[in-house]
Amino acid sequence: MNRGIYAWKGGGDQVMSGMMSDFCRRVLEKVGMPPDEAAIMAQCLTEADLRGHETHGMSRLGMYLERVKRGVMKPDPEIRVVQDGGAVTVLDGDHGFGQVVAALALEMAASKAAEIGVGVVAVRNSGHAGALGILAERVVSRRKIGIIFTNTSPIMAPWGGREPELGNNPFAIAVPREGRDPVILDMALSVTARGNIILASREGGAIPEGWAIDRGGRPVTDAREALLGTVLPIAGHKGYALALMIEILAGVLTGASFGRNVASLMPPDYSKPLGMGHLVMVLDVEKFIPWDEFQRRLSRFLNQIKESPPGDGGSEIIIPGEKSAQKRSRRLKEGCVINESTRRELIRIGEEYGVPFEV
Ligand SMILES: NC(=O)c1ccc[n+]([C@@H]2O[C@H](COP(=O)([O-])OP(=O)(O)OC[C@H]3O[C@@H](n4cnc5c(N)ncnc54)[C@H](O)[C@@H]3O)[C@@H](O)[C@H]2O)c1
């Protein structure tokens, strides 16, 4: 299969020439990832850091490399089409890196959408896809709306329970705007990404109450205890119910692993591949409504939202994706800050793979 079709065409040239991205790309090539796919991974991880999603940026590289070393993740998988008909394609990711497999799925869905208005790609046997908004955004420059759901390692209890039965199952929706940053909703269904608890535990710190429960189902503020327990869903039973539905769409429907059968990233389970699934959908705006009309309507709506009167003590009204875009442009100028534990980890990786990490 020609996987060269999804070379990155987003706005990340400056990042790509950056030291961090270059380091990531070179390390991944050393473990056998084809250069264009290593470039996608480098793009995804550095973009996550630029946008303020440090939990899904370069701090994850070591975890992925360890899985490659243990033989449960493939740097050069044989991704194949299992089934293809009408709007729907089913893809087997052969336990590759989730970002690379999902990027391909988005390209395939975008091609279908260009033809018939909508493309849906169900992905099985994939890996952890990281920060999803970066993936959904890949199609917006082609006047398309990108949507992605993924399941992930079981770290959340069903509402009322205490055992980790399902992921915090993030999803992202990216909507194109002419000459402006896209509107991007990109969120997991736990109060906080588990990565924040991992970072807190590496720094030896505490976490706010309401993020997690311990093994006994009790509220917890010790980050290490929290990692042994489960994260709490957003909005109580509603967040749990949303995560359950995404587990059905991205796990059950796609033929991927689901629930407690998805391997754990942390604490790491190297007995089997992650087995995650994604459901990707692309809508071609112009098959629904003329582009200019969509843009006029969208701008009118978003202006109404931005100009809506603030609540008591309320701050500026924000459109989803706006803060990340602002952070990204600031960090492109001023540089990206990585925390000490990530810096130490990257230096260690650099030594191991013979690619010096110099910050
Ligand atoms: N692949 C995985 O398994 C996995 C798991 C968990 C999280 N993640 C990723 O981690 C990242 C962080 O996730 P998160 O749930 O912590 O996101 P978050 O809470 O930082 O942001 C959620 C959404 O809210 C929007 N937002 C923030 N402030 C806003 C405001 N004042 N008004 C309107 N919108 C606002 C953001 O633009 C974003 O779209 C995401 O990129 C997500 O994809 C991935």
Side-chain angles (χ1 to χ4, degrees):
M1 174 185 298
N2 174 16
R3 287 193 261 144
I5 52 168
Y6 55 93
W8 177 262
K9 294 192 182 65
D13 288 342
Q14 282 160 282
V15 190
M16 291 305 287
S17 61
M19 191 287 289
M20 214 141 73
S21 149
D22 198 49
F23 168 80
C24 181
R25 185 183 51 73
R26 288 171 60 202
V27 168
L28 289 169
E29 283 184 27
K30 287 238 173 179
V31 299
M33 189 173 276
D36 57 342
E37 295 175 17
I40 287 178
M41 279 306 296
Q43 179 85 38
C44 287
L45 298 188
T46 48
E47 275 290 331
D49 282 319
L50 280 171
R51 292 167 193 220
H53 304 314
E54 292 86 354
T55 51
H56 290 78
M58 292 292 282
S59 64
R60 294 276 172 161
L61 181 62
M63 255 180 216
Y64 298 152
L65 291 170
E66 190 60 27
R67 300 199 82 80
V68 170
K69 225 188 312 181
R70 308 276 190 137
V72 285
M73 199 149 108
K74 296 184 189 172
D76 188 14
E78 291 288 326
I79 303 170
R80 73 186 170 90
V81 173
V82 177
Q83 201 170 297
D84 186 34
V88 178
T89 307
V90 180
L91 207 60
D92 186 321
D94 191 31
H95 308 298
F97 282 54
Q99 290 87 340
V100 171
V101 179
L104 176 60
L106 273 147
E107 287 304 324
M108 297 175 102
S111 298
K112 280 273 170 80
E115 245 177 80
I116 55 174
V118 60
V120 183
V121 179
V123 183
R124 60 180 68 156
N125 293 333
S126 190
H128 180 254
L132 297 190
I134 296 162
L135 292 161
E137 192 185 346
R138 291 178 74 86
V139 298
V140 297
S141 64
R142 283 166 274 169
R143 301 185 168 184
K144 292 177 175 55
I145 294 173
I147 304 170
I148 174 167
F149 301 97
T150 186
N151 68 355
T152 186
S153 306
I155 56 171
M156 202 156 87
W159 190 242
R162 62 188 171 138
E163 292 285 324
E165 304 285 1
L166 70 170
N168 60 347
N169 298 350
F171 70 101
I173 304 175
V175 177
R177 292 194 76 190
E178 185 75 55
R180 305 280 298 267
D181 290 320
V183 184
I184 302 182
L185 173 62
D186 176 17
M187 57 179 279
L189 294 166
S190 50
V191 173
T192 190
R194 193 165 187 268
N196 282 322
I197 305 177
I198 296 170
L199 289 182
S201 86
R202 282 190 193 161
E203 307 283 317
I207 55 163
E209 196 162 323
W211 279 14
I213 47 177
D214 69 10
R215 264 187 296 203
R218 293 171 291 263
V220 67
T221 54
D222 180 306
R224 290 201 178 94
E225 285 296 315
L227 285 179
L228 299 173
T230 63
V231 295
L232 283 166
I234 58 164
H237 66 281
K238 296 185 190 181
Y240 150 64
L242 274 169
L244 180 131
M245 293 309 267
I246 292 181
E247 196 79 43
I248 293 173
L249 294 179
V252 178
L253 177 70
T254 58
S257 299
F258 54 85
R260 61 173 74 173
N261 290 325
V262 179
S264 177
L265 275 164
M266 178 75 75
D269 170 6
Y270 299 118
S271 66
K272 58 184 180 189
L274 289 168
M276 291 173 184
H278 323 302
L279 190 77
V280 164
M281 198 184 303
V282 174
L283 308 178
D284 187 328
V285 170
E286 290 174 294
K287 295 278 197 295
F288 290 76
I289 189 170
W291 176 252
D292 290 345
E293 192 182 344
F294 176 64
Q295 288 302 316
R296 267 198 313 277
R297 288 167 62 82
L298 183 60
S299 290
R300 202 163 75 228
F301 172 57
L302 295 177
N303 289 342
Q304 281 167 12
I305 295 287
K306 286 296 277 184
E307 286 158 14
S308 183
D312 189 19
S315 52
E316 186 196 350
I317 289 170
I318 306 283
I319 301 296
E322 202 178 334
K323 277 199 207 159
S324 304
Q326 285 165 358
K327 201 170 270 180
R328 181 182 188 275
S329 54
R330 208 169 47 244
R331 288 184 171 183
L332 273 175
K333 285 194 213 101
E334 296 166 6
C336 222
V337 181
I338 51 167
N339 69 26
E340 187 49 27
S341 56
T342 302
R343 194 179 74 90
R344 278 199 304 270
E345 167 93 331
L346 295 177
I347 291 170
R348 185 198 61 70
I349 290 170
E351 286 164 2
E352 185 173 349
Y353 293 93
V355 181
F357 183 78
E358 287 146 2
V359 174

